[in-house]
């Protein structure tokens, strides 16, 4: 995969100190983030989960221009106890002020305690002298109660440290994803003891929200469209005013009576989500970001180049360093990670950028190596780890595949009329052999025959069946209006989506009408257009591996998918892969040899020579240049 030169393992790779330099495959997004950080602009990141949105947001916090960070103190308001006073001070000063007030209070408490002890001792002495023990005990309890109620003025006025930035090197980064309104916007704790002077002072119950803790820094909110409209409106107000008062979020709480002075919240908002999140996003919020910031779409794959493979190697080194518990990777293990990145991209000449999932594989491989007491992670450990790093959906899909195999309706031997071995994908990447049966029966309608398909077909799958019917009418010598053609997707309990089975349907129907058997050692997948061209499909690798495991000897796939094939080495000698361009290619490799087959193939090839394809190039006029 790579020439590792002097790299013996990932321990020899330098990991950049800044997070923004650790972002892999999003060069354009990184440049936008750098511009946004320099000018303190809001950003909306749209992309699939696991492509690095939160990492970009954290990296932005490190890039923000130097600001004078502040601590926020909240003081009681003598004139209006329910309107606490807010005081910003330079970072680090807030802790000193609170400490000084606590020191004064401590000295007072020590003096008060000494006086109380002296008074108690004196009363007990007098009680003993006058033999009035019961009266002395009552007097002692009364003095203790009075002492507890007496509080100095400076103690009741001591502030509370609301936001502490004293120990920060960079601008604050707050992840408000999934936070309720109180945690995001601030809240005032409920206090049931609000009468008789027994309650906690209002300023002591004020709690800062993430918008206040993110002051002069970054507030990151993922899946912002799932946040309630009211909360989004309040967040928008805070963005516009750069300050926001704290009040109780529950109307049934005593905290709802308290409303502080405005608290500074001059933050940069980095919102994110997938493309569907825009549906739930407040229009004014998005307009604010678009008008005063940037919208960034983050891709889920990058081009498979030497430079990008080196970046993937850097990513593995970063994951090992961040985890801190797994061994370093040897070059053969890195090659296996690169191969898996190609497989997971689902596109030719691409590498996946869903690096969170790939990071799970890296850690699983490290755990396997530790379990085997290996000093380094090798390719064998990565291959073993693939089994343990599957998603829940993938595990469920694999269990379903195993159960279906036990009651399999196909036998990869000999030939059958109207029966074809299609291929499908269940879950993320698991392939399965999906048999398709076709039968041609005399039409029940006097006007025309019908194609009837069963097996919980989705809309796209139903449309593909109709396209196949057009091809069958064109390419067979028989009048299809005389037939009702039944097509059954066997064991498709979860339904059929997409049109990747249209090649298989066409083969099964033509076999049934022409009474030509299909080779059962062959499986196929592909989409057909109405002209008979075989179009590319998804999941080619998983489908081929499923066919190999099922004992299939040959698999037919669209020619345009050949570069997508990245099967594991153990399957390479088990199965033969043949590319297809047209329907005639498909039938030539799957129909059993005989005169019927030869006549049909020749007939289809003649029909396939479209008029446009035979127009001499010299007769095509070039438009006049103006």
């Amino acid at each position: 995969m790579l020439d590792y030169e002097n790299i013996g393992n990932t321990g020899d790779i330098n990991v950049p100190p800044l997070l923004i330099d650790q972002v892999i495959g999003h060069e354009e997004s990184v440049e936008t983030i750098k511009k946004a950080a320099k000018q303190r602009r809001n950003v909306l990141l749209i992309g699939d989960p696991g492509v690095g949105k939160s990492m970009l947001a954290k990296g932005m916090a490190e890039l923000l221009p130097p600001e004078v960070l502040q601590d926020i103190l909240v003081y009681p308001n003598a004139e209006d106890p329910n309107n606490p006073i807010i005081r910003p001070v330079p970072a680090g000063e807030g802790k000193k002020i609170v400490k000084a007030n606590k020191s004064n209070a401590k000295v007072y408490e020590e003096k008060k305690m000494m006086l109380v002890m002296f008074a108690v001792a004196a009363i007990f002495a007098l009680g003993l002298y006058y033999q009035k023990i019961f009266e002395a005990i009552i007097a002692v309890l009364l003095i203790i109660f009075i002492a507890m109620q007496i509080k100095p003025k400076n103690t009741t006025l001591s502030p509370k440290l609301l936001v502490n930035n004293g120990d920060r090197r960079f601008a604050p980064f707050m992840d408000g994803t999934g936070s309720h309104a109180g945690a995001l916007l601030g809240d005032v704790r409920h206090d049931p003891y609000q009468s008789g002077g027994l309650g906690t002072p209002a300023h002591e119950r004020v709690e800062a929200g993430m918008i206040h803790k993110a002051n002069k820094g970054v507030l990151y909110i993922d899946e912002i469209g799932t946040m309630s409209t009211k909360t989004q409106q309040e967040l928008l107000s805070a963005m516009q005013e750069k300050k926001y008062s704290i009040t109780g979020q529950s109307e049934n709480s005593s905290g709802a009576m308290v409303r502080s002075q405005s608290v500074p919240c001059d933050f940069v908002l980095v919102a994110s989500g997938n493309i569907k999140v825009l549906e739930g996003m407040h229009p004014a919020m998005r307009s604010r970001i678009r008008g005063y910031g940037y919208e960034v779409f983050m891709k889920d794959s990058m081009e498979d180049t030497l430079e990008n493979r080196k970046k993937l190697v850097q990513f593995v080194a970063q994951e090992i360093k961040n985890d801190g518990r797994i061994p370093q990777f040897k070059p053969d293990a890195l090659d296996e990670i690169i191969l898996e990145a190609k497989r997971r991209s689902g596109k030719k000449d691409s590498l996946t950028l869903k690096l969170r999932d790939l990071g799970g594989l890296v850690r699983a491989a490290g755990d396997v190596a530790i379990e085997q007491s290996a000093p380094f992670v090798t390719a064998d450990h990565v291959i073993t780890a693939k089994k343990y790093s599957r998603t829940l959906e993938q595990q469920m899909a694999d269990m379903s595949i195993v159960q279906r195999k036990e009651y399999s309706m196909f036998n990869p031997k000999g030939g059958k009329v109207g029966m074809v071995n299609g291929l499908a994908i269940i879950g993320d990447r698991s392939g399965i052999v999906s048999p398709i049966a076709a039968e041609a029966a005399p039409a029940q309608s006097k006007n025309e025959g019908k194609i009837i398909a069963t097996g919980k077909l989705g809309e796209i799958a139903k449309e593909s069946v109709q396209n196949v019917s057009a091809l069958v009418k064109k390419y067979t010598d028989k009048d299809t209006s005389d037939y009702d053609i039944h097509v059954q997707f066997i064991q498709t309990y979860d339904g059929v989506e997409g049109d990747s089975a249209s090649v298989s349907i066409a083969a099964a129907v033509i076999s049934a009408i022409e009474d030509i058997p299909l080779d059962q050692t062959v499986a196929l997948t592909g989409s057909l257009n109405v002209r008979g061209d075989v179009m590319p499909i998804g999941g080619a690798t998983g489908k081929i591996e499923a066919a190999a495991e099922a004992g299939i000897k040959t698999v037919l796939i669209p020619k345009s998918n050949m570069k997508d094939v990245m099967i594991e080495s153990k399957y390479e000698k088990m199965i033969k892969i043949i590319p297809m361009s047209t329907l005639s290619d498909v039938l030539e490799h799957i129909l059993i040899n005989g005169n019927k087959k030869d006549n049909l193939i020749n007939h289809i090839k003649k029909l396939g020579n479209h008029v446009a394809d035979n127009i001499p190039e010299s007769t095509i006029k070039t438009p006049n240049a103006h």
Side-chain angles (χ1 to χ4, degrees), residues 77-205:
N77 189 338
E79 296 180 359
D80 185 359
N82 288 329
N83 185 220
I85 298 170
I86 299 298
R87 180 189 170 194
V89 296
E93 293 296 316
K95 188 180 291 186
K96 295 177 182 178
I97 294 171
V98 171
K99 186 176 181 181
N101 278 271
K102 286 183 177 179
S103 297
N104 295 334
K106 185 177 181 181
V107 170
Y108 171 82
E109 288 295 330
E110 289 175 351
K111 290 181 179 179
K112 185 173 75 171
M113 182 61 66
M114 290 179 64
L115 289 172
V116 170
M117 291 178 65
F118 177 79
V120 168
I123 291 173
F124 267 114
L126 290 172
L128 289 171
Y129 181 79
Y130 291 108
Q131 296 184 350
K132 300 288 186 178
I133 301 300
F134 180 76
E135 290 81 353
I137 293 174
I138 297 298
V140 165
L141 293 175
L142 182 62
I143 288 174
I144 293 174
F145 178 76
I146 293 172
M148 291 176 63
Q149 299 304 310
I150 298 175
K151 294 182 180 179
K153 186 176 181 181
N154 62 344
T155 301
T156 58
L157 294 178
S158 53
K160 174 183 177 180
L161 184 57
L162 200 61
V163 177
N164 180 19
N165 285 318
D167 300 326
R168 291 192 180 277
R169 290 178 53 208
F170 298 102
F173 172 84
M174 292 293 153
D175 188 348
T177 303
S179 300
H180 58 78
L184 186 67
L185 305 172
D187 204 349
V188 179
R189 287 183 282 114
H190 175 67
D191 186 0
Y193 303 106
Q194 289 299 296
S195 60
L198 299 177
T200 304
H203 76 287
E204 289 286 350
R205 295 186 284 121

Side-chain angles (χ1 to χ4, degrees), residues 441-455:
Q444 295 297 315
S445 171
K446 295 181 179 180
N447 297 325
E448 60 176 341
K450 298 178 181 179
I451 289 189
I452 304 165
T454 58

Side-chain angles (χ1 to χ4, degrees), residues 11 64 133 152 161 173 198 288 293 321 350 389 439 441 523 545 601:
L64 287 179
I133 301 300
L161 184 57
F173 172 84
L198 299 177
R288 178 78 183 180
K321 182 179 178 180
S350 297
S389 63
E439 186 67 44
E545 291 178 348
I601 297 297

Side-chain angles (χ1 to χ4, degrees), residues 107-381:
V107 170
Y108 171 82
E109 288 295 330
E110 289 175 351
K111 290 181 179 179
K112 185 173 75 171
M113 182 61 66
M114 290 179 64
L115 289 172
V116 170
M117 291 178 65
F118 177 79
V120 168
I123 291 173
F124 267 114
L126 290 172
L128 289 171
Y129 181 79
Y130 291 108
Q131 296 184 350
K132 300 288 186 178
I133 301 300
F134 180 76
E135 290 81 353
I137 293 174
I138 297 298
V140 165
L141 293 175
L142 182 62
I143 288 174
I144 293 174
F145 178 76
I146 293 172
M148 291 176 63
Q149 299 304 310
I150 298 175
K151 294 182 180 179
K153 186 176 181 181
N154 62 344
T155 301
T156 58
L157 294 178
S158 53
K160 174 183 177 180
L161 184 57
L162 200 61
V163 177
N164 180 19
N165 285 318
D167 300 326
R168 291 192 180 277
R169 290 178 53 208
F170 298 102
F173 172 84
M174 292 293 153
D175 188 348
T177 303
S179 300
H180 58 78
L184 186 67
L185 305 172
D187 204 349
V188 179
R189 287 183 282 114
H190 175 67
D191 186 0
Y193 303 106
Q194 289 299 296
S195 60
L198 299 177
T200 304
H203 76 287
E204 289 286 350
R205 295 186 284 121
V206 174
E207 301 292 343
M210 290 186 180
I211 62 172
H212 308 110
K213 295 176 182 178
N215 185 41
K216 305 298 183 183
V218 172
L219 175 66
Y220 174 66
I221 302 178
D222 194 16
E223 300 299 332
I224 190 169
T226 61
M227 191 179 291
S228 70
T229 302
K230 182 178 183 299
T231 303
Q232 289 190 54
Q233 289 174 334
E234 298 295 332
L235 181 61
L236 181 59
S237 298
M239 290 170 59
Q240 293 171 334
E241 301 298 329
K242 301 187 185 304
K243 55 186 180 180
Y244 188 84
S245 298
I246 300 176
T247 187
Q249 296 295 328
S250 173
E251 295 180 357
N252 297 324
S253 167
S254 62
M257 299 295 295
V258 179
R259 186 177 186 84
S260 75
Q261 293 181 346
S262 296
V263 183
C265 58
D266 184 10
F267 58 84
V268 173
L269 176 66
V270 179
S272 68
N274 56 32
I275 194 66
K276 292 183 178 179
V277 84
L278 299 178
E279 299 174 4
M281 193 171 179
H282 196 290
M285 173 74 73
R286 187 179 176 192
S287 176
R288 178 78 183 180
I289 295 175
R290 189 167 58 243
Y292 297 90
Y294 298 92
E295 292 186 340
V296 179
F297 181 78
M298 299 184 67
K299 55 189 179 181
D300 61 359
S301 64
M302 60 182 174
E303 189 178 355
D304 183 13
T305 63
L306 181 64
E307 186 64 26
N308 285 339
R309 291 185 180 189
K310 290 180 179 179
K311 291 177 181 178
L312 269 183
V313 171
Q314 175 190 317
F315 162 75
V316 176
Q318 292 170 184
E319 290 296 294
I320 295 169
K321 182 179 178 180
N322 294 336
D323 186 84
R325 291 173 291 177
I326 58 177
Q328 301 293 336
F329 276 51
K330 298 292 282 185
D332 63 334
L334 293 172
D335 284 345
E336 196 62 38
I337 292 293
I338 293 172
L339 179 60
E340 186 64 17
K342 288 171 62 68
R343 288 164 55 90
R344 293 190 180 192
S345 71
K347 306 172 187 175
K348 61 183 178 182
D349 301 326
S350 297
L351 299 167
T352 184
L353 281 176
K354 294 182 178 180
L355 299 183
R356 184 185 298 155
D357 293 343
L358 199 63
L361 176 61
V362 170
R363 283 179 283 277
D367 292 343
V368 172
I370 290 174
E371 186 179 16
Q372 298 178 5
S373 300
F376 296 100
V377 178
T378 65
D380 290 338
H381 296 138

Side-chain angles (χ1 to χ4, degrees), residues 449-594:
K450 298 178 181 179
I451 289 189
I452 304 165
T454 58
K456 294 178 68 176
L457 275 64
E459 289 301 319
I460 297 177
K462 290 178 181 178
E463 291 173 2
S464 70
V465 172
Q466 297 303 316
N467 290 341
V468 167
S469 68
L471 286 170
V472 171
K473 291 177 182 178
K474 178 178 179 181
Y475 290 149
T476 58
D477 286 329
K478 297 182 179 179
D479 187 358
T480 56
S481 62
D482 295 336
Y483 299 92
D484 280 342
I485 302 170
H486 296 260
V487 178
Q488 181 184 12
F489 289 77
I490 300 173
Q491 292 181 314
T492 53
Y493 312 116
D494 301 321
V496 179
E497 296 293 342
D499 62 347
S500 62
S502 51
V503 164
S504 304
I505 297 170
V509 171
I510 290 174
S511 169
I513 291 177
E514 297 291 343
D515 195 29
I516 305 174
L518 297 169
D519 190 347
Q520 298 302 294
T521 66
V522 178
L524 66 164
T525 182
S527 172
L528 274 178
N529 65 18
V530 292
R531 293 166 58 89
D533 301 317
V534 180
M535 310 299 288
I537 44 83
T541 298
K543 292 176 179 179
I544 294 170
E545 291 178 348
E549 289 183 352
I552 299 292
K553 302 302 180 184
T554 304
V555 64
L556 311 181
I557 69 169
K559 186 176 182 179
S560 50
N561 281 119
M562 286 300 289
K563 289 185 178 181
D564 300 338
V565 177
M566 290 165 282
I567 61 175
E568 294 184 9
S569 55
K570 66 178 181 180
Y571 298 116
E572 291 177 356
K573 295 182 179 180
M574 295 172 60
I575 196 162
K576 181 180 180 181
I577 304 170
I578 299 177
M580 310 171 292
S581 297
T582 63
L583 181 57
S584 61
D585 295 337
V586 176
L587 298 176
E588 194 166 351
H589 287 98
I590 197 170
L591 294 177
I592 301 294
N593 288 329

